[in-house]
């Protein structure tokens, strides 16, 4: 920490304008435009803070990412709205525009980032070329960070492995299968319905088969719409959970010795999204925002993601370069099928269908 403080105190900051009166940091499209990473670090440490949104610390190791960034650079991270949706993140930025409380960076689904590109700053991290072209904006407005996919977790001592999504409700026992929330409001439950649609005759444009498969059991209580506790799983009360792969893999570790918890992605139903890093065009801490993006897309940041049991977007390149955490990689199941993703338009259409056709259980 002393070295960080000395660096901040002794270094002269980079030029503040680009010659036309604009802030050079706020318009820099790469670290090279500021004179390299050392100059970017100096400018970020001079700002001293970073505002983030939608980074719940317990998910995909967001907490470790934030802690590692603070340790490495001595920059204070100010979290807000940890459970904010993509739309809510952008709303926070609009409400706080022009203040030092506005978000510096966003964590958005690829489709949402593409839709909001005009509100994002152009910036290309040093590892830009390692990111697949379909996971980054051609003009540098956002860059993929990691991908997540839906899965089925199940207790192999209680139920057989589901061969397809229609096997999810093969057991007639009330409440034996759980979604992680209400699909009209909760992201993982929403994608659980999409996964059910893909596995029962639907596609990204038509989630009706998934709604038909799950809405009736949810209404009658055969399907829970809340994540079960570890004790409920270990007791055999809830032997099947539809949730993100990383969440079900974490359950496997938590339940070790109590339940034989296994995780599968049903055939033909691999669905998820790429999560992107993006910089607020009006970030109050533009250097820290750019440094955060560099860190998340660095080997260190990508291995933190891998430790969180998600697939870092640079995984293939890092494996070829020999910089991947092999122990963390071994804990991640192989992804054998291409991932189905939804555009912003398809997401909106699916949300409207759910709003119209998902029926609440009767009040008791």
């Amino acid at each position: 920490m002393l070295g960080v403080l000395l660096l901040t105190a002794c270094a002269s900051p980079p030029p503040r304008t680009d010659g036309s009166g604009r802030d050079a940091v706020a318009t820099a499209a790469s670290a090279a435009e500021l004179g390299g990473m050392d100059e970017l670090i100096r400018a970020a440490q001079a700002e001293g803070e970073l505002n983030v949104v939608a980074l719940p610390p317990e998910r995909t190791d967001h907490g470790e990412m934030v802690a590692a960034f603070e340790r490495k650079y001595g920059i204070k991270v100010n979290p807000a709205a940890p459970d904010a949706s993509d739309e809510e993140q952008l709303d926070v930025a609009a409400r706080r525009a022009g203040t030092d409380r506005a978000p510096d960076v966003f964590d958005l689904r690829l489709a949402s980032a593409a839709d909001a590109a005009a509100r994002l700053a152009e910036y290309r991290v040093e590892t830009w070329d390692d990111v697949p072209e379909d996971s980054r904006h051609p003009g540098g407005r956002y860059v993929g960070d990691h991908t997540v996919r839906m899965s089925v977790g199940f207790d192999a001592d209680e139920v057989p492995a589901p061969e397809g999504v229609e096997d999810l409700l093969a057991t007639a026992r009330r409440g034996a299968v759980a979604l992680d929330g209400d699909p009209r409001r909760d992201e993982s439950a929403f994608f659980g319905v999409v996964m059910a649609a893909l596995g029962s005759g639907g596609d990204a444009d038509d989630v009706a088969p998934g709604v038909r498969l799950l809405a009736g059991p949810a209404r009658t209580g055969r399907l829970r719409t809340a994540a079960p506790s570890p004790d409920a799983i270990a007791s055999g009360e809830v032997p099947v959970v539809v949730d993100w792969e990383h969440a079900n893999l974490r359950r496997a570790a938590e339940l070790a010795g109590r339940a034989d918890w296994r995780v599968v992605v049903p055939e033909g139903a691999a669905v998820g999204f790429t999560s992107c890093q993006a910089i607020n065009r009006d970030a109050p801490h533009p250097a820290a925002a750019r440094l955060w993006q560099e860190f998340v897309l660095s080997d260190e940041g990508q291995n933190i993601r891998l430790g969180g049991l998600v697939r870092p977007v640079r995984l293939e390149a890092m494996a070829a370069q020999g910089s991947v955490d092999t122990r963390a990689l071994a804990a991640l199941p192989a992804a054998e099928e291409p991932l189905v993703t939804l555009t912003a338009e398809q997401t909106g259409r699916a949300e409207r269908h759910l709003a119209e056709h998902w029926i609440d259980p009767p009040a008791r």
Side-chain angles (χ1 to χ4, degrees):
M1 181 62 73
L2 178 60
V4 168
L5 294 175
L6 288 175
L7 179 62
T8 304
C10 298
S12 57
R16 296 302 300 174
T17 66
D18 62 2
S20 64
R22 296 180 302 171
D23 189 299
V25 175
T27 58
S30 69
E33 290 188 10
L34 295 172
M37 280 296 297
D38 287 346
E39 294 300 328
L40 176 60
I41 292 169
R42 290 187 181 99
Q45 290 175 336
E47 291 172 350
E49 295 184 67
L50 174 75
N51 298 340
V52 302
V53 288
L55 298 182
E58 72 280 1
R59 297 184 196 167
T60 65
D61 277 5
H62 289 316
E64 174 55 26
M65 189 76 73
V66 167
F69 180 80
E70 289 183 322
R71 288 193 303 267
K72 189 178 185 75
Y73 298 113
I75 294 170
K76 182 177 183 292
V77 177
N78 305 312
D83 296 312
S85 66
D86 290 359
E87 183 179 0
E88 289 167 343
Q89 291 183 60
L90 297 167
D91 285 346
V92 168
R95 291 197 309 271
R96 298 182 179 180
T99 74
D100 60 5
R101 296 174 59 242
D104 290 305
V105 291
F106 302 112
D107 189 292
L108 301 169
R109 296 199 300 264
L110 182 65
S112 299
D115 202 43
R119 301 174 61 177
L120 310 175
E122 179 182 344
Y123 188 77
R124 292 173 177 80
V125 293
E126 290 194 323
T127 56
W128 181 264
D129 290 341
D130 287 349
V131 179
E133 288 187 9
D134 61 0
S135 297
R136 65 191 194 197
H137 185 264
R141 300 288 176 136
Y142 55 79
V143 59
D145 164 14
H146 66 277
T147 60
V148 296
R149 62 179 187 168
M150 287 304 298
S151 72
V152 178
F154 66 100
D155 185 346
D157 291 333
E158 296 287 334
V159 295
E163 295 182 3
V165 295
E166 294 181 348
D167 293 337
L168 292 177
L169 300 171
T171 176
R173 186 148 48 88
R174 183 178 179 86
V177 181
L179 280 177
D180 183 24
D182 186 318
R184 295 166 298 182
R185 293 185 289 272
D186 299 300
E187 184 179 72
S188 60
F190 169 82
F191 277 94
V193 172
V194 178
M195 183 182 74
L198 294 178
S200 55
D203 55 32
D205 289 309
D206 179 18
V207 301
V211 176
R212 285 195 296 269
L213 180 68
L214 301 180
R219 186 173 186 272
T220 60
R222 286 183 59 211
L223 176 74
R224 296 188 182 206
T225 51
S229 69
D231 287 342
I233 294 174
S235 69
E237 180 185 348
V238 188
V240 181
V241 180
V242 177
D243 202 350
W244 293 117
E245 181 182 50
H246 58 269
N248 268 324
L249 289 170
R250 286 176 184 265
R251 286 189 179 95
E254 293 169 357
L255 292 163
R258 302 176 67 195
D260 185 10
W261 194 252
R262 302 186 187 182
V263 184
V264 298
V265 175
E267 185 176 354
V271 63
F273 61 82
T274 298
S275 182
C276 292
Q277 294 299 311
I279 297 169
N280 184 359
R281 187 182 59 190
D282 300 317
H285 309 106
R290 285 157 173 77
L291 185 60
W292 169 261
Q293 192 156 295
E294 292 282 2
F295 181 70
V296 174
L297 272 294
S298 70
D299 288 350
E300 183 177 355
Q302 292 284 277
N303 277 320
I304 289 172
R305 288 291 188 234
L306 187 58
L309 300 170
V310 297
R311 288 168 170 76
V313 76
R314 291 183 53 233
L315 181 58
E316 184 175 342
M318 290 171 60
Q321 296 160 9
S323 57
V324 71
D325 182 337
T326 54
R327 177 178 292 185
L329 181 60
L332 202 63
E336 298 176 355
E337 292 189 26
L339 194 69
V340 174
T341 61
L342 275 63
T343 65
E345 182 180 357
Q346 288 168 330
T347 300
R349 188 158 52 244
E351 289 173 341
R352 289 191 294 274
H353 185 84
L354 269 164
E356 294 172 5
H357 296 281
W358 193 269
I359 303 173
D360 287 316
R364 295 184 179 179

